[in-house]
Amino acid sequence: MRWWLLVVACCVFACSSKETVPPVPDAGPSPTSCARREDCEGGQVCTLAGVCGACESSGQCRLKERCDDEARACVLREGWGTDCETNEACAFGLWCRQGLCLARTQVVLCPSGARGECPTGQRCNGSTLVCEEDLGCVEDADCGAEERCNAGLHACVARCTEATSCGEGEHCTEGLCVQCDVDTDCAVGFVCDAAGRCSSTPRCYSDRDCDVPRVCHLASGACLPRPPPCGSDDDCAMDQRCDLGTGTCGPRACQPDALEPNDTVSTAFPVSASRYVKLTLCPDDVDHYSLTLERGDQLGVNVDAEVFAESVFSTTLQDARGRVLATGHFRMSHVVAERGTYTVRVASCDTLPRAYDIGFFLSRGTPCDDDVHEPNDTVDTATDLPERLSLEGMVCPGEQDHVRFTVPAAQGVKVSLSGYAADRGLLRLCLLGESGGVELGCSQDAEGAIVSLPAPTVAGQRLTARVVGDDARTTNGYTLQVEWLP
């Protein structure tokens, strides 16, 4: 009996002395894996880690949503709902507008489905034929049949083709008019951004590009912590006006900037490869900047002002003899052929004062001797083809050569390039129509540059041949030969 009691006592001691293991706390549900926004619920977004989480910008949400800066969740924008997607989903007499069923008096119809039937800032919903707030786009499906989505701009733009002329300094790539496809398409100091535009610094095109609660100030391309202090003169004091370029109140009378006087070449302000800020162009004012460049240097100039004012700005580069070497609006680039003092001229054709910043970017390069046909960097300054139907030329970095000729009646044309070294950069040949804006044909073969066009296409027309380097640093000589085809 005693041995049994001993065994029981040992068991009791062992059980009572065993270490107590605390319960494992509940870590909560594991994050939901995702591949896109639609895989997440409760206003969460699909993060870069591939799991559902909080949003940081409205760009992570659907078009009709915004990222709430307090809840950090995607919520519907004001004036949008989920009650309907088609008119049939609404009661009789009601129309579906922005996901809400509304009375006829509360909607604007667009019977033909055209954007032009809608008020400014709205576009036509092709399914409901009702005008809705234009929220931009994230893919082509958000745009009309004749449009493409420029995802960088967050906007639907007219679809272009090879035969469609884009704006100055633009070309057509996959249906979009862009300034660049890669960084090398831009001047020194610039990069090609998501919208296909050359920019010296990253910029925003919509609030969707900014982390909440910041918003995009389109004029400067900066994400600001709050809206600018003024949107019109009504927001400023009586003796002030609102500068829409900066969103700030300033004197009604235009005040000269710190670099004045620099209204003439002789009073040009000497600059270096740097950035100069808080400058002003008063009405009928012209600003000049001078700098010394070495032979082969590539100069890039970037004017940073209200984005919608680009067309009123004019930027030119001229040498000591007053010859204009390069022109542009906000951007300009040129490789100089000789050492000397050069002047950058900035002007505006606007009747209002214009605030701007300007940056100068410099890249030391290999000297390149221009040919005797310069300047012929534009269609307007094209060289006339000699009677022998051939021409010796040289493409220097950042340049384009243009040669003009008339095709005889009832004949076609074949234009070719030869005599250039492939190891010094490939050359591309294009034939432009009479207006100089439409490309009729371009060389595609990397081993040789030849373009042939039949008589029905070009007979009797005044054409321009354009020779350009494969990239901005190409330096190569060539022989251009023209032949008439029966």
Side-chain angles (χ1 to χ4, degrees), residues 304-434:
D304 190 3
E306 182 185 358
V307 65
F308 300 112
E310 182 170 6
S311 61
V312 304
F313 271 83
S314 171
T315 306
T316 61
L317 175 70
Q318 62 187 55
D319 62 15
R321 287 169 283 183
R323 294 185 306 172
V324 175
L325 306 177
T327 62
H329 292 293
F330 277 176
R331 285 164 294 276
M332 182 189 66
S333 179
H334 185 73
V335 177
V336 300
E338 57 186 359
R339 185 184 190 280
T341 299
Y342 294 82
T343 303
V344 174
R345 178 182 184 273
V346 181
S348 167
C349 62
D350 204 345
T351 57
L352 296 175
R354 286 291 179 184
Y356 73 99
D357 301 339
I358 188 169
F360 299 92
F361 306 92
L362 188 60
S363 174
R364 302 295 183 185
T366 303
C368 177
D369 293 317
D370 277 327
D371 55 47
V372 296
H373 310 297
E374 292 291 341
N376 62 347
D377 294 339
T378 66
V379 173
D380 293 335
T381 60
T383 301
D384 288 326
L385 181 70
E387 293 183 3
R388 64 180 183 275
L389 301 184
S390 67
L391 175 146
E392 304 292 329
M394 169 67 74
V395 170
C396 289
E399 286 187 349
Q400 297 182 358
D401 285 355
H402 293 80
V403 180
R404 185 171 42 227
F405 56 88
T406 300
V407 182
Q411 289 191 295
V413 66
K414 174 184 176 182
V415 183
S416 60
L417 297 181
S418 61
Y420 63 90
D423 59 349
R424 301 185 65 189
L426 298 176
L427 298 179
R428 188 165 186 257
L429 171 67
C430 287
L431 290 186
L432 311 180
E434 296 217 38

Side-chain angles (χ1 to χ4, degrees), residues 4 33 53 62 207-208 232 272 275 361 409 446 483:
W4 173 250
S33 298
R62 299 186 181 98
D207 290 348
R208 296 175 65 84
S232 69
S272 59
R275 183 176 175 84
F361 306 92
E483 302 175 52

Side-chain angles (χ1 to χ4, degrees), residues 405-414 431-434 440 452-463 484-485:
F405 56 88
T406 300
V407 182
Q411 289 191 295
V413 66
K414 174 184 176 182
L431 290 186
L432 311 180
E434 296 217 38
L440 301 180
S452 297
L453 297 173
T457 302
V458 297
Q461 293 189 33
R462 186 79 161 159
L463 305 184
W484 309 130
L485 302 178

Side-chain angles (χ1 to χ4, degrees), residues 183-269:
D183 291 349
T184 53
D185 293 337
C186 302
V188 59
F190 296 81
V191 296
C192 188
D193 66 18
R197 295 184 173 182
C198 294
S199 176
S200 59
T201 55
R203 61 159 297 132
C204 64
Y205 292 97
S206 162
D207 290 348
R208 296 175 65 84
D209 294 327
C210 304
D211 289 346
V212 294
R214 292 177 176 268
V215 296
C216 180
H217 183 217
L218 273 178
S220 63
C223 291
L224 303 180
R226 61 184 63 86
C230 71
S232 69
D233 291 349
D234 295 336
D235 300 326
C236 302
M238 290 293 294
D239 60 343
Q240 293 183 320
R241 58 178 294 276
C242 180
D243 184 343
L244 296 179
T246 61
T248 57
C249 296
R252 283 193 176 273
C254 185
Q255 302 296 315
D257 56 55
L259 305 187
E260 293 283 354
N262 62 344
D263 298 340
T264 64
V265 173
S266 61
T267 59
F269 185 83

Side-chain angles (χ1 to χ4, degrees), residues 273-309:
S274 185
R275 183 176 175 84
Y276 300 83
V277 300
K278 297 182 179 179
L279 305 176
T280 305
L281 271 177
C282 294
D284 300 321
D285 186 19
V286 179
D287 289 347
H288 293 82
Y289 306 93
S290 65
L291 69 169
T292 299
L293 300 176
E294 300 293 335
R295 186 166 174 257
D297 283 352
Q298 183 176 20
L299 174 68
V301 180
N302 176 52
V303 174
D304 190 3
E306 182 185 358
V307 65
F308 300 112

Side-chain angles (χ1 to χ4, degrees), residues 77-101:
R77 293 179 179 272
E78 184 178 355
W80 290 78
T82 57
D83 297 340
C84 61
E85 292 186 358
T86 63
N87 294 323
E88 289 72 19
C90 298
F92 181 75
L94 300 181
W95 295 76
C96 182
R97 181 181 185 273
Q98 300 181 180
L100 301 173
C101 292

